[in-house]
Amino acid sequence: MRLDFGGYKLSQLTTLDSSSGVLGLDEFLKSLQRNYFSNIHIRKYSSAENKMNMALDMICPISLLEMLGHFNKGRWGQDSKGNSLLKESFKALCIENKTNYLDIEELTLFFNDTSIVIKRLYNRSIPEQLDNILTEIANHYVFFTKGLTERPYEIFVPVFEDKLNNVSNVSQEKQIAQQIPKTYFEYWGIYLDSEDEALIYDLSKNSFIPADLDFYMLED
């Protein structure tokens, strides 16, 4: 199995100032800090052709299992109606700026024992799908922890299988781009202390898959 996770690298935290042109950004981050009981930082951002992408770090001083317990009871990241507060806060930020060009390209959640890296699949996929991803992490927790015997220290969402053959003059990069997954709920990369390399978890089978396939993580 060839795993290419080199696209994820922590970089220096970045502060967006008035020159960024984003209105209400400070209020947006403070809202997330209150509702997710976390420190929220913008690790980096990029702007081009009227498009601004942000990479957010959410640092929460509890364990993954504790977070899932609070999340399942509607006490973490949800309003009284069960709506995702990331989705609602980000929607309000876009409305204030009167634009659809803002987006979150990567969200990393740091807990005391585990980090979860979520990459964007399509426009606003992270705000729209965060709660669904957390729900599936809770649903699959007993399986990817091998019956609660191991705890992952990193989870990558998603990874995808390279099914295309190298044919004609189509570059490998173009082949990979053509098969970017449309959903977060096929394959994840799981790092366990007992394993030297990441394992690939198949959500449809509730199990790790054989190590004879090529998988990739989405890069920035």
Side-chain angles (χ1 to χ4, degrees), residues 6-211:
Y8 171 67
K9 296 180 180 179
L10 281 177
S11 55
Q12 186 175 1
L13 298 179
T14 303
T15 300
L16 291 181
D17 55 27
S18 58
S19 64
S20 69
V22 180
L23 303 175
L25 187 61
D26 190 51
E27 290 78 5
F28 166 70
L29 296 176
K30 288 180 179 178
S31 173
L32 295 183
Q33 290 184 154
R34 290 194 303 270
N35 292 309
Y36 288 90
F37 310 102
S38 304
N39 289 322
I40 310 292
H41 303 284
I42 295 177
R43 178 161 23 92
K44 63 178 181 179
Y45 71 96
S46 61
S47 180
E49 297 181 356
N50 296 320
K51 184 76 174 179
M52 177 168 285
N53 297 315
M54 296 178 285
L56 297 181
D57 288 345
M58 181 182 296
I59 305 171
C60 189
I62 59 177
S63 70
L64 173 61
L65 200 55
E66 287 175 313
M67 180 278 290
L68 293 175
H70 292 306
F71 174 78
N72 287 335
K73 295 177 182 177
R75 298 174 180 172
W76 193 87
Q78 299 170 323
D79 63 19
S80 59
K81 297 180 180 179
N83 297 316
S84 167
L85 288 167
L86 175 61
K87 182 178 180 179
E88 296 301 314
S89 297
F90 191 74
K91 179 180 178 181
L93 180 67
C94 291
I95 290 175
E96 182 171 358
N97 285 274
K98 299 179 181 180
T99 181
N100 291 320
Y101 295 127
L102 290 172
D103 208 355
I104 300 172
E105 66 178 358
E106 179 179 290
L107 173 64
T108 305
L109 302 102
F110 293 96
F111 300 101
N112 286 343
D113 53 1
T114 307
S115 61
I116 303 170
V117 182
I118 304 172
K119 306 288 283 191
R120 179 183 59 194
L121 293 183
Y122 52 85
N123 192 38
R124 301 192 188 181
S125 63
I126 292 177
E128 289 182 1
Q129 295 294 332
L130 175 60
D131 279 17
N132 293 330
I133 292 169
L134 296 178
T135 296
E136 289 306 303
I137 288 176
N139 290 340
H140 289 267
Y141 187 85
V142 68
F143 300 107
F144 64 66
T145 59
K146 299 183 177 181
L148 306 180
T149 62
E150 296 193 58
R151 182 177 58 232
Y153 62 87
E154 290 183 358
I155 302 173
F156 290 93
V157 181
V159 295
F160 64 103
E161 183 180 355
D162 178 13
K163 298 179 180 179
L164 297 180
N165 296 320
N166 292 321
V167 295
S168 67
N169 60 351
V170 179
S171 69
Q172 185 180 41
E173 290 77 11
K174 288 183 178 180
Q175 291 186 57
I176 294 172
Q178 291 171 0
Q179 55 182 322
I180 290 176
K182 301 299 188 293
T183 175
Y184 286 107
F185 309 112
E186 292 182 341
Y187 304 109
W188 295 345
I190 307 289
Y191 273 101
L192 301 172
D193 285 325
S194 63
E195 303 290 338
D196 292 333
E197 297 182 354
L199 301 176
I200 301 302
Y201 181 77
D202 185 336
L203 279 75
S204 67
K205 297 179 180 178
N206 298 334
S207 62
F208 295 106
I209 67 174

